[in-house]
């Protein structure tokens, strides 16, 4: 089966072969059943011919019994079965001609039987009339002449030939019916076995192909989750370093504020304090630059995390689409199995084995549907975790942007401090004013650094959440891989 086909195309192509086998099996079964029914009708007709021959013979015996009883006793009560038999004999003869209408040999024997019947009936009629007119001796003489006995013997001979021919036909048809039943049984058994094998092979190929596709997708998800976990770990480490740097800068700024107060209290030490302040400002500027570079690195990592999470979301949606197709195929297979079970039940004993196969197919479809629901639940959990990670990462990105802006303000303040310190060194008369400006600027910087420290702690917390989410995502991906591998291993 081509691997570049879609799953619905594979299903349609795979079901074509079992469908062809079932159609051929149905055509052959219908043909065999029709032949068997035809043979059964012929057997039924043969049995009716034999029954009519027995009835014809019985009616002749009834007529003879009534005739002889009347001749011996002269009692009209013996003529009642005689009269009834006379009316039934003609009806039996006509029924025999109708039943053997397509049998030339039987029709020829019935043509020979007709004058013999008339001769026998005429002999019985004459003997009865003689008994009434001339008495018992005349009638007995007619019976003793042997005319009626010879006619009856001929009737028995012709009827025997007809019976023998029908018995031979009956034996041949029974043998043909037995052979037809055997052929039908062999055809149904072989067809059912072939259908089972074809359906089992098709089911195995379909399930193996689907498992391969899902397994490949889950491997890609697991790889993305691992990359996300690594990025989250790097983000957490960067956040910790940022928090440490912010603490150091805050301590430096507190020292700078203390220095500013000392400048205000002692103008004699203005030059030395200004020099110290300039050095501290340069160190602070370098620290701010390093912190800004760290924030830029964190921002790039956050952008990579967002891209990975968006790609992960798309892959999760693709898996969801595949699972939806699998679920629809399982439901259609279940419906086909139910219809096959109904058809097998309607076929009686001949379809019992096919019904068992249909029931097994329905159970397999139910198990596939159950596994699909479990996989869909895991995918939904993975998707929810991914959404949470994206939201947390976007919040971290915003916090990083705010930190970058605040560090820009800090850098600007440090440049202002440096300018103020230079001005203080050049003009001591501006010491007091510059000292006030420096104190104000230091206070602003300190407040900004407090905000930076708080932002760094929040970034660290967001990084921890991102790391935890990525770990959960990796665990869910491994669970999904194990869930896909379990049926393949079984």
């Amino acid at each position: 089966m081509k691997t570049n086909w879609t799953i619905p195309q594979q299903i349609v192509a795979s079901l074509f072969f079992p469908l062809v086998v079932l159609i051929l099996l149905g055509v052959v079964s219908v043909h065999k059943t029709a032949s068997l029914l035809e043979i059964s009708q012929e057997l039924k007709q043969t049995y009716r011919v034999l029954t009519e021959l027995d009835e014809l013979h019985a009616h002749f015996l009834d007529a003879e019994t009534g005739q002889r009883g009347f001749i011996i006793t002269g009692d009209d009560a013996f003529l009642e079965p005689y009269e009834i038999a006379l009316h039934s004999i003609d009806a039996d003869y006509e029924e025999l001609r109708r039943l053997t209408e397509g049998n030339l040999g039987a029709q020829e024997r019935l043509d020979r039987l007709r004058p013999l019947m008339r001769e026998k009936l005429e002999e019985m009629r004459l003997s009865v009339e003689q008994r009434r007119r001339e008495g018992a001796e005349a009638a007995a003489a007619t019976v003793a002449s042997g005319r009626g006995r010879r006619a009856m013997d001929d009737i028995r001979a012709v009827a025997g030939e007809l019976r023998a021919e029908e018995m031979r036909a009956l034996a041949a048809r029974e043998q043909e019916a037995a052979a037809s039943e055997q052929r039908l049984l062999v055809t149904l058994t072989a067809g059912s076995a072939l259908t089972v094998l074809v359906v089992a092979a098709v089911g195995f190929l379909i399930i193996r192909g689907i498992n391969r596709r899902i397994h490949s997708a889950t491997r890609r998800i697991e790889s993305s989750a691992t990359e996300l976990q690594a990025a989250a770990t790097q983000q957490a480490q960067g956040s910790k370093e940022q928090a440490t740097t912010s603490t150091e800068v805050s301590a430096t700024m507190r020292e700078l504020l203390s220095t500013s107060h000392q400048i205000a209290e002692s103008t004699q030490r203005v030059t030395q304090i200004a020099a110290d302040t300039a050095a501290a400002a340069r160190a602070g500027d370098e620290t701010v630059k390093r912190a800004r570079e760290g924030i830029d690195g964190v921002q790039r990592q956050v952008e990579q995390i967002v891209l990975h999470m968006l790609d992960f979301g798309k892959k999760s949606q693709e898996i969801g689409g595949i699972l939806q197709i699998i679920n629809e195929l399982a439901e259609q297979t279940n419906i086909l199995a139910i219809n096959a079970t109904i058809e097998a039940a309607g076929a009686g004993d001949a379809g019992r084995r096919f019904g068992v196969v249909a029931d097994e197919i329905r159970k397999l479809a139910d198990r596939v549907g159950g596994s699909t629901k479990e996989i869909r639940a895991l995918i939904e959990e993975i998707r929810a975790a991914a959404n949470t990670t994206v939201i947390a990462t976007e919040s971290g990105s915003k916090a990083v942007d705010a930190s970058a802006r605040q560090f820009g303000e800090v850098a600007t303040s440090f440049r202002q401090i440096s300018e103020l310190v230079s001005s203080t060194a050049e003009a001591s008369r501006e010491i007091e004013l510059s000292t006030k400006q420096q104190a104000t600027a230091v206070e602003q910087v300190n407040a900004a650094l407090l905000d930076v420290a708080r932002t760094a702690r929040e970034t660290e917390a967001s990084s921890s959440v991102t790391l935890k989410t990525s770990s959960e995502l990796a665990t869910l991906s491994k669970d999904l891989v194990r869930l896909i591998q379990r049926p393949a291993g079984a």
Side-chain angles (χ1 to χ4, degrees):
M1 190 174 295
K2 297 183 179 180
T3 56
N4 58 349
W5 285 7
T6 62
I7 292 178
Q9 289 175 340
Q10 293 179 6
I11 295 295
V12 172
S14 301
L15 292 179
F16 174 76
F17 298 102
L19 183 61
V20 170
V21 174
L22 290 175
I23 291 175
L24 292 177
L25 180 61
V27 171
V28 173
S29 299
V30 169
H31 176 71
K32 299 293 185 183
T33 303
S35 177
L36 187 60
L37 289 175
E38 183 179 355
I39 295 172
S40 177
Q41 290 294 330
E42 292 176 354
L43 286 173
K44 183 178 178 181
Q45 185 172 357
T46 301
Y47 281 119
R48 290 185 62 185
V49 170
L50 294 174
T51 302
E52 287 298 328
L53 283 174
D54 291 337
E55 290 182 356
L56 179 63
H57 184 263
H59 289 151
F60 266 108
L61 291 179
D62 290 342
E64 280 189 335
T65 301
Q67 171 203 14
R68 291 172 182 174
F70 177 74
I71 291 174
I72 295 171
T73 63
D75 188 357
D76 290 339
F78 286 96
L79 293 179
E80 182 177 355
Y82 168 78
E83 296 293 339
I84 294 174
L86 290 181
H87 290 89
S88 300
I89 286 172
D90 290 335
D92 294 337
Y93 179 80
E94 295 299 328
E95 181 66 15
L96 282 173
R97 292 197 69 89
R98 187 187 68 81
L99 291 175
T100 59
E101 187 174 1
N103 190 343
L104 296 179
Q107 291 289 316
E108 186 270 332
R109 288 181 176 85
L110 290 175
D111 290 339
R112 290 165 49 198
L113 184 63
R114 186 62 175 172
L116 298 174
M117 291 171 54
R118 291 174 180 172
E119 182 178 355
K120 176 60 179 175
L121 293 175
E122 180 65 20
E123 184 271 335
M124 288 191 293
R125 186 185 64 79
L126 289 175
S127 63
V128 170
E129 291 295 329
Q130 285 180 346
R131 177 65 178 84
R132 286 176 175 170
R133 293 195 306 269
E134 302 176 8
E137 292 181 359
T142 301
V143 172
S145 65
R147 174 186 174 188
R149 179 177 58 79
R150 288 191 297 275
M152 192 64 192
D153 290 339
D154 293 339
I155 290 173
R156 289 193 182 95
V158 175
E161 293 176 2
L162 183 58
R163 174 181 291 276
E165 181 181 357
E166 292 297 326
M167 290 300 294
R168 288 192 297 271
L170 178 63
R173 288 166 183 170
E174 287 179 346
Q175 185 177 3
E176 184 179 359
S180 180
E181 289 178 358
Q182 183 66 25
R183 288 194 297 271
L184 178 60
L185 180 60
V186 171
T187 300
L188 292 176
T189 303
S192 300
L194 180 60
T195 302
V196 170
L197 293 176
V198 172
V199 170
V202 169
F204 173 76
L205 293 176
I206 292 175
I207 292 175
R208 186 178 65 176
I210 292 174
N211 281 342
R212 285 180 177 176
R213 290 194 176 187
I214 296 178
H215 187 269
S216 177
T218 52
R219 286 298 185 186
R220 291 196 295 270
I221 293 173
E222 185 178 7
S223 177
S224 299
T226 303
E227 294 177 0
L228 178 61
Q229 188 175 9
T233 302
Q234 293 178 0
Q235 183 183 10
Q237 292 176 354
S239 298
K240 290 181 180 179
E241 293 176 358
Q242 180 185 358
T244 303
T245 303
S246 299
T247 302
E248 294 175 355
V249 172
S250 179
T252 303
M253 293 310 300
R254 286 194 297 271
E255 292 177 358
L256 182 59
L257 181 60
S258 177
T259 302
S260 298
H261 288 306
Q262 291 175 3
I263 291 173
E265 294 174 355
S266 178
T267 56
Q268 291 84 2
R269 301 170 61 186
V270 169
T271 303
Q272 184 63 35
I273 294 173
D276 296 338
T277 304
R282 286 192 297 273
D285 186 57
E286 291 296 327
T287 303
V288 169
K289 288 181 180 179
R290 290 195 300 271
R292 180 60 181 269
E293 291 174 356
I295 290 175
D296 291 338
V298 172
Q299 188 173 11
R300 288 192 296 273
Q301 294 294 334
V302 170
E303 291 175 353
Q304 290 180 1
I305 291 173
V306 171
L307 292 176
H308 285 306
M309 292 307 300
L310 292 176
D311 183 61
F312 177 74
K314 292 180 181 178
K315 292 177 180 179
S316 299
Q317 291 178 356
E318 292 176 358
I319 293 176
I322 295 174
L323 291 175
Q324 181 65 28
I325 294 174
I326 295 173
N327 191 30
E328 292 176 358
L329 293 176
E331 292 177 356
Q332 292 177 3
T333 305
N334 196 4
I335 292 173
L336 289 175
I338 292 173
N339 291 335
T341 303
I342 294 173
E343 292 297 330
D349 294 335
R352 183 175 301 168
R353 296 182 179 177
F354 186 75
V356 173
V357 174
D359 186 63
E360 291 297 325
I361 294 174
R362 181 179 58 81
K363 291 179 180 178
L364 178 61
D366 291 339
R367 290 198 297 270
V368 172
S371 298
T372 304
K373 292 180 180 178
E374 293 177 2
I375 295 173
R376 183 180 291 109
L378 289 175
I379 290 301
E380 292 299 328
E381 292 177 2
I382 293 173
R383 190 176 297 171
N387 292 334
T388 304
T389 303
V390 170
I391 293 173
T393 304
E394 289 177 352
S395 299
S397 178
K398 293 180 181 178
V400 169
D401 291 337
S403 298
R405 290 193 299 270
Q406 291 171 357
F407 270 101
E409 294 175 0
V410 171
T412 302
S413 298
F414 271 114
R415 286 192 295 273
Q416 292 177 356
I417 293 171
S418 179
E419 292 173 0
L420 290 173
V421 172
S422 297
S423 298
T424 300
E426 292 175 358
S428 59
R429 65 178 178 272
E430 298 177 356
I431 291 175
E432 184 177 2
L433 179 60
S434 298
T435 302
K436 292 181 179 179
Q437 291 177 351
Q438 185 180 11
T440 302
V442 169
E443 290 177 354
Q444 293 177 354
V445 170
N446 192 31
L449 285 174
L450 292 175
D451 291 337
V452 170
R454 184 174 61 253
T455 302
R457 288 192 296 271
E458 293 177 352
T459 303
E460 183 179 0
S462 299
S463 300
S464 299
V465 173
T466 302
L467 180 60
K468 182 179 179 181
T469 303
S470 62
S471 299
E472 293 177 353
L473 183 59
T475 301
L476 289 175
S477 299
K478 292 178 181 179
D479 292 339
L480 183 59
V481 170
R482 286 196 297 270
L483 180 63
I484 295 302
Q485 288 177 343
R486 188 178 301 121

